[in-house]
Amino acid sequence: MNGAQKVDKRKVEINKFSLIFNKLGIYVVVLLLIVAGVILSGGQFFSASNIQSILEASALIGMVSAGLMFVVYSGNMNDMSIPMTMAMAGMLTVQFINLGFIPALLIGIASGALIGFINGLMIGKFRAHPIIWSWGFNLLLSGIVRVVWQGKQLYADTVAKPTEFAQRAANTFYAISRTYLTSFISLMAVVMIVMFVIAWFIHSKTSFGQKLKIIGTNYDVAKFSGINCTKVLITAYMICGVCAATGGIFFSALRKTSSYENGMGYDFSCLTTVLLGGVQLCGGKGSVIGAFGGVLAYSILNNILSWIGLDTYSKYLVQGIVFLFIVWLNTYSNRKLGKA
């Protein structure tokens, strides 16, 4: 007769640092960056003008990141059509400005939803490779924009007819990026925060968010469990498209011009902020709150580099080093906790 079952007496210990970092995530980094900013700015970090600068810098990239988070979370890595989604939304809004500001705005946002629908259909239903398809679609959209508008830039006040109604619509379009609700909080920043709140609710409080998590974790399991993967992925890409279009419209208003160049680089910049916030490329891991933290970290770091006075290329070098370190730190903490 065998004796009593042996008990595993090996010590099991969770690294406290890994636990803290995993729980608080990117906000630990945000706090450290704020401390560094206070020191390097000589106490001017919390001035109204500097806070305004940080919020403005984070607003546009935050709007787009709020939607891209859903695509990355679904396990589809990135939406490479973001640059032309932003550009086309801005150009369509200006092109139809004579209909009035609200109709033109809705047309611009609808273009983002349509692009997202096409992406979601091809990737969700026909299983096209997400990077190759969205990159190719971005090239197609670039060609469409250049052919339709012949490579020209559009100006709302020029496109608008010389009537009081049309000129008022053009002025409203320009004003949305220059309206401040307080001395340092802009309308753009408020819109970004509202978009993140809505994204958090959709992701955390709806069945859609739960289904997206299962799809991101294991597509085959989600499919065989009865989830309509095509519908969920189409929705995720449409959310991304609407957010990118909104960011593109504000970007055009801020630049006072709509061009096919608007939005260039946002596909990788926004992916960086999402990954910094702890959303995993493999899908199914991460949160909207974390993605928002990634946006703050990205903006604060850029602000600090401006205080230091680094040139553009030196900024790219420092950003690359810091971002790679943060991504490694996030992966390290997940492994220590058995989550990766």
Side-chain angles (χ1 to χ4, degrees):
M1 188 174 180
N2 296 333
Q5 186 177 1
K6 293 182 179 181
V7 178
D8 190 346
K9 296 182 179 181
R10 290 176 295 179
K11 185 177 181 181
V12 178
E13 183 176 331
I14 295 178
N15 185 289
K16 292 183 179 179
F17 173 77
S18 297
L19 182 62
I20 292 173
F21 182 80
N22 191 268
K23 292 295 184 182
L24 300 180
I26 191 64
Y27 290 96
V28 174
V29 179
V30 170
L31 180 60
L32 293 175
L33 288 172
I34 290 175
V35 172
V38 171
I39 296 173
L40 294 173
S41 66
Q44 297 299 310
F45 183 83
F46 287 111
S47 65
S49 60
N50 195 56
I51 295 298
Q52 175 183 323
S53 176
I54 293 174
L55 289 175
E56 287 183 350
S58 64
L60 290 174
I61 198 168
M63 291 178 192
V64 183
S65 298
L68 180 60
M69 183 269 171
F70 288 92
V71 170
V72 180
Y73 191 76
S74 71
N76 287 292
M77 296 178 283
N78 196 9
D79 182 356
M80 303 293 289
S81 65
I82 280 176
M84 289 312 303
T85 302
M86 295 177 67
M88 181 168 283
M91 298 193 79
L92 284 172
T93 300
V94 172
Q95 184 65 60
F96 289 97
I97 200 68
N98 288 306
L99 298 178
F101 172 70
I102 297 300
L105 179 68
L106 293 177
I107 290 173
I109 293 175
S111 70
L114 178 60
I115 293 171
F117 175 82
I118 295 173
N119 280 331
L121 181 66
M122 294 302 300
I123 295 168
K125 184 175 180 61
F126 299 105
R127 304 304 294 152
H129 191 284
I131 297 297
I132 295 176
W133 165 262
S134 59
W135 177 70
F137 194 32
N138 190 73
L139 290 178
L140 174 63
L141 293 173
S142 177
I144 293 173
V145 167
R146 292 171 192 245
V147 169
V148 172
W149 286 285
Q150 300 178 340
K152 298 178 181 178
Q153 296 180 333
L154 298 181
Y155 301 88
D157 53 350
T158 303
V159 173
K161 295 178 180 180
T163 63
E164 182 179 353
F165 176 78
Q167 290 297 322
R168 189 187 308 120
N171 292 333
T172 302
F173 172 72
Y174 288 142
I176 60 174
S177 62
R178 294 168 175 79
T179 299
Y180 289 86
L181 304 183
T182 67
S183 59
F184 59 88
I185 299 180
S186 66
L187 175 62
M188 289 198 304
V190 172
V191 170
M192 175 198 65
I193 293 172
V194 170
M195 289 172 68
F196 265 105
V197 171
I198 294 174
W200 169 82
F201 179 82
I202 293 173
H203 180 259
S204 304
K205 302 298 181 180
T206 66
S207 60
F208 166 78
Q210 297 301 316
K211 293 175 182 177
L212 195 66
K213 178 180 179 65
I214 298 173
I215 292 174
T217 303
N218 193 312
Y219 180 87
D220 291 330
V221 169
K223 182 178 180 179
F224 289 118
S225 65
I227 294 176
N228 188 336
C229 296
T230 299
K231 181 180 179 180
V232 174
L233 289 178
I234 287 176
T235 303
Y237 273 95
M238 288 183 70
I239 292 173
C240 182
V242 167
C243 291
T246 303
I249 292 169
F250 273 95
F251 188 26
S252 294
L254 185 64
R255 289 191 62 192
K256 285 192 171 183
T257 179
S258 294
S259 167
Y260 63 86
E261 295 179 343
N262 288 7
M264 287 183 62
Y266 270 72
D267 45 353
F268 288 108
S269 295
C270 293
L271 178 62
T272 300
T273 65
V274 171
L275 295 181
L276 285 177
V279 182
Q280 302 295 310
L281 273 176
C282 60
K285 297 179 181 178
S287 67
V288 173
I289 294 176
F292 181 70
V295 172
L296 291 179
Y298 183 92
S299 303
I300 294 173
L301 179 60
N302 278 326
N303 183 260
I304 291 174
L305 296 180
S306 296
W307 278 107
I308 297 175
L310 293 183
D311 59 72
T312 302
Y313 298 112
S314 297
K315 285 183 179 181
Y316 290 155
L317 176 62
V318 173
Q319 287 173 355
I321 294 173
V322 172
F323 292 162
L324 286 174
F325 172 74
I326 293 173
V327 171
W328 168 83
L329 189 59
N330 187 34
T331 303
Y332 172 80
S333 67
N334 281 334
R335 286 179 176 175
K336 283 294 183 179
L337 295 172
K339 296 184 177 181

